[in-house]
Amino acid sequence: MMPDGKKNVLLAVSGSIAAYKACDIARAFVKEGVSVTVTLTPNGAKFVTPVTFETLTNSKCLIDTFDRNFKFEVEHIAAAKAADVCLIAPASADIIGKIANGIADDMATTTIMAATCPKLIAPAMNTAMYDNPIVQENLAKLVRYGYKIITPDTGLLACGDVGRGKLAPVETIVEEANKVLSGTGRPKDLAGKKVLITAGPTQEAIDPVRYITNHSSGKMGYALAEAARDRGADVVLVSGQVALTPPPGMTVVKIVSAADMAEAVFAEFPDTDVLIMAAAVADYRPKTVADQKIKKSGGGMTIELERTTDILGTLADKKTHQFVCGFSMETENLIENSRKKLVKKKLDMIAANSIRDEGAGFAHDTNKVTVITQEDLCDLPLTSKAETAHLILDEIVRRL
Ligand code: CTP
């Protein structure tokens, strides 16, 4: 946190051609009103000059450990203390190796070593370098020490090769750092509480190669899990098959079908304090699952479906002390239909989503939710899923 109360990102830029993208990263935070301190490695400075970052961030770019032009403070320690999140982007094989092995021989690596805030690393390098087992071992070691790796993309690299190692998109990097920032400074008002969250779609098998599913990306459930963790809860995340990295600092139970999800939730429920069912659970599954791949025939085909267990419906009579929040996604009559679910499933709260609203619903990084209880109705603003998650938790905590 800066003396003026602004959140601060410490952006360490190392020697990779992707260093030019760090300018867009810095700019994105400045636009959000977040202060950015850039520290450049000497090799990073060969790709982008400190002046570029200073102009973009309106603050001094830290590059020389022995710079005498300072305000009587030890700069790398002051920068480390002010940081709410440390983002190493792009991270070359060299800086990854140095951090993993405790080497601090320039301004960037000393500042990173002194920083105690959460640290995110966005690697960028040639595929053969990225796949080198030593680099992979260094990354695995950093994960063990609590660093989060923002997985690089696969694509055309600056060297002309096609493969893994392309810096993750700027938006992804900014979003990951924002998740951390939205958690900093939050009250630990869920400390000592067990929060059970379901996320993502279920898959209902038709035969060994086909299944019925839906468009849920899992992003809202994962955002809730991360927000609850940041507020001190013991989080169990029961997740359908999604393309998201399991968040650190919680128990993640991966499931496939509605039946698997029901089993996992029923097992965890008795000592849970708060259950949030953000998952898009299939209401129907094929009545029979073929042992072998179904071969096509001349005419049409009919699949007979049967109901899955209504997880929330079943829990209604098993509730003791738990606060239960459901989710509802509708294309019409959002409030009326969501209220019906609240009553029918005996929920304490339902978070209602209209997929007709711009920027809300499946796969987006933003959401617009109306929180409904027996007594109240509260329209939350259109905002990031990370912020929406905290706003929903605010509503839950107020009622615990
Ligand atoms: N849900 C559940 N078990 C199911 C299906 C849904 O626990 N088999 C949960 C969802 O996770 C969500 C809530 O119930 O929190 C509402 O789900 P939804 O499918 O929208 O509601 P339904 O009551 O099934 O109504 P609809 O007829 O609109 O499908």
Side-chain angles (χ1 to χ4, degrees):
M1 190 80 69
M2 299 302 279
D4 62 4
K6 271 192 181 180
K7 294 205 169 158
N8 177 259
V9 175
L10 174 65
L11 176 60
V13 180
S14 66
S16 152
I17 179 62
Y20 75 93
K21 295 185 185 167
C23 302
D24 285 338
I25 297 174
R27 189 80 195 120
F29 288 115
V30 170
K31 275 192 186 158
E32 288 177 11
V34 172
S35 103
V36 182
T37 307
V38 178
T39 175
L40 261 176
T41 65
N43 284 341
K46 293 193 177 136
F47 289 97
V48 187
T49 75
V51 179
T52 311
F53 287 115
E54 286 172 352
T55 312
L56 290 172
T57 65
N58 199 27
S59 64
K60 187 172 167 190
C61 177
L62 310 178
I63 182 165
D64 178 3
T65 322
F66 300 101
D67 182 1
R68 305 302 308 150
N69 181 23
F70 59 78
K71 303 179 286 242
F72 300 104
E73 56 184 10
V74 183
E75 273 198 308
H76 66 281
I77 301 295
K81 277 188 184 157
D84 293 295
V85 62
C86 172
L87 185 56
I88 301 128
S92 63
D94 177 65
I95 200 165
I96 291 168
K98 281 182 180 165
I99 303 168
N101 291 285
I103 297 169
D105 64 349
D106 58 27
M107 192 61 167
T109 47
T110 41
T111 312
I112 294 164
M113 189 179 275
T116 55
C117 59
K119 293 172 190 146
L120 309 177
I121 295 204
M125 66 196 79
N126 165 273
T127 309
M129 291 173 76
Y130 184 69
D131 287 342
N132 186 306
I134 299 175
V135 173
Q136 287 302 318
E137 201 174 305
N138 285 335
L139 286 170
K141 184 172 176 187
L142 291 174
V143 170
R144 286 201 301 280
Y145 281 100
Y147 285 69
K148 174 157 186 175
I149 313 299
I150 304 175
T151 315
D153 267 5
T154 298
L156 178 64
L157 307 174
C159 57
D161 287 0
V162 175
R164 286 210 293 174
K166 198 174 153 71
L167 185 73
V170 167
E171 305 77 52
T172 309
I173 295 171
V174 172
E175 186 194 334
E176 288 298 332
N178 270 333
K179 281 187 199 164
V180 177
L181 289 179
S182 70
T184 55
R186 298 276 175 189
K188 301 287 178 216
D189 48 12
L190 285 169
K193 302 277 183 215
K194 174 173 168 179
V195 178
L196 174 60
I197 294 169
T198 65
T202 64
Q203 294 177 355
E204 310 304 326
I206 298 169
D207 69 13
V209 291
R210 303 176 178 100
Y211 54 80
I212 299 172
T213 192
N214 58 66
H215 288 299
S216 172
S217 64
K219 286 183 179 176
M220 192 63 239
Y222 275 56
L224 281 158
E226 291 187 288
R229 176 204 59 202
D230 292 342
R231 294 166 80 137
D234 289 330
V235 179
V236 178
L237 174 63
V238 179
S239 170
Q241 301 295 304
V242 295
L244 305 172
T245 318
M250 65 184 72
T251 305
V252 181
V253 182
K254 285 280 206 161
I255 58 90
V256 176
S257 66
D260 301 338
M261 183 166 277
E263 191 184 328
V265 171
F266 294 158
E268 297 288 345
F269 189 68
D271 64 343
T272 287
D273 296 295
V274 177
L275 166 65
I276 308 177
M277 282 285 302
V281 189
D283 288 322
Y284 293 92
R285 66 172 165 236
K287 193 164 184 186
T288 52
V289 181
D291 288 340
Q292 305 298 332
K293 185 181 166 207
I294 299 169
K295 304 301 286 179
K296 60 184 156 302
S297 56
M301 183 188 174
T302 304
I303 300 173
E304 194 181 344
L305 302 178
E306 64 181 7
R307 285 294 304 267
T308 57
T309 306
D310 183 342
I311 303 173
L312 282 179
T314 308
L315 290 175
D317 296 326
K318 297 199 166 83
K319 259 172 71 169
T320 51
H321 65 292
Q322 296 85 352
F323 184 98
V324 177
C325 174
F327 262 73
S328 162
M329 187 166 267
E330 297 288 341
T331 50
E332 56 185 356
N333 301 330
L334 176 68
I335 304 300
E336 191 189 322
N337 287 338
S338 303
R339 261 198 216 289
K340 280 188 193 153
K341 289 177 203 174
L342 177 84
V343 175
K344 189 169 146 228
K345 301 194 184 197
K346 297 189 186 151
L347 305 176
D348 297 293
M349 180 185 278
I350 193 155
N353 253 177
S354 167
I355 51 171
R356 296 267 186 253
D357 277 350
E358 188 73 21
F362 293 127
H364 290 286
D365 293 323
T366 53
N367 208 357
K368 189 171 180 306
V369 162
T370 302
V371 169
I372 308 170
T373 61
Q374 297 284 359
E375 310 78 32
D376 261 342
L377 184 149
C378 171
D379 283 320
L380 303 181
L382 173 68
T383 182
S384 67
K385 284 190 172 164
E387 190 55 29
T388 300
H390 277 291
L391 295 172
I392 292 172
L393 290 180
D394 285 346
E395 295 297 323
I396 293 176
V397 167
R398 279 204 300 127
R399 293 171 170 85
L400 281 184

